[in-house]
Amino acid sequence: EDWITTDHAEGPGVKVFQQGPDLPDPKTSIVQASGGHAHPTFYVGNTVTGQVWKWRADMADWQQIVPVTGPVGPLSARRFFADPYRPALVYVLGRAGMYRSEDGGDSWVPDGTLQAAITENGAFPLDITGEQGIPDIGLLRDMVFHPRDASWRVAVSPAGVFRTLDGHRS
């Protein structure tokens, strides 16, 4: 019963409260939080449709960041990872490639270095399926970010475990 609430802020007797508007899709299957208590930012996605949305306290509603509406960026997200310490840094593995946003999904750049690493220079297809044919496991299995060093990242794929110390080269 503690989790059933209509509260939207802390207060006397409030054990939990909802931050932000209702989820943008009732079939949201992935939620990632970033920014800590000072600047909470939430990224949510639907692995079936490949859509990703973002919300933070200064936003009235969820903002869809995938598929992109601009000329460069992911048209769908098979997997996505938000840096839990820096809410503007997001990675998306789409059907057409690996993308990185350093402004919370407002703009994207292809991340060819990371894509080459996780595919072992094309030996593994971008559209790889997981164990027992589960498509949403995908090629990029996990990412880890350093709490103090913004350039330090680790990515895990069937091709191996990769680390960058400058945020761009492995």
Side-chain angles (χ1 to χ4, degrees), residues 3 7 11 31 46 56 59 72 79 83 131 135 143 169:
W3 292 100
D7 294 312
V31 177
N46 179 323
R56 62 180 184 261
M59 298 171 68
V72 176
R79 294 296 306 266
D83 181 330
E131 292 81 13
M143 288 190 78
R169 291 185 302 262

Side-chain angles (χ1 to χ4, degrees), residues 41-158:
T41 302
F42 299 93
Y43 291 91
V44 300
N46 179 323
T47 56
V48 174
T49 64
Q51 296 169 288
V52 178
W53 295 267
K54 166 181 81 173
W55 180 84
R56 62 180 184 261
D58 64 344
M59 298 171 68
D61 208 350
W62 290 93
Q63 174 189 357
Q64 186 172 312
I65 60 171
V66 177
V68 298
T69 55
V72 176
L75 298 178
S76 69
R78 296 188 51 80
R79 294 296 306 266
F80 71 93
F81 295 91
D83 181 330
Y85 310 103
R86 288 158 284 278
L89 183 59
V90 184
Y91 285 85
V92 168
L93 173 63
R95 294 193 188 286
M98 191 76 224
Y99 294 91
R100 181 183 69 251
S101 176
E102 296 179 3
D103 58 11
D106 292 337
S107 64
W108 297 90
V109 294
D111 196 323
T113 303
L114 180 55
Q115 181 172 321
I118 65 173
T119 64
E120 198 171 299
N121 292 315
F124 290 92
L126 283 170
D127 213 14
I128 193 172
T129 56
E131 292 81 13
Q132 302 173 4
I134 301 169
D136 60 347
I137 288 177
L139 181 63
L140 184 57
R141 302 293 172 95
D142 202 1
M143 288 190 78
V144 179
F145 302 86
H146 195 282
R148 290 179 305 279
D149 188 342
S151 298
W152 188 97
R153 299 168 198 148
V154 173
V156 179
S157 85

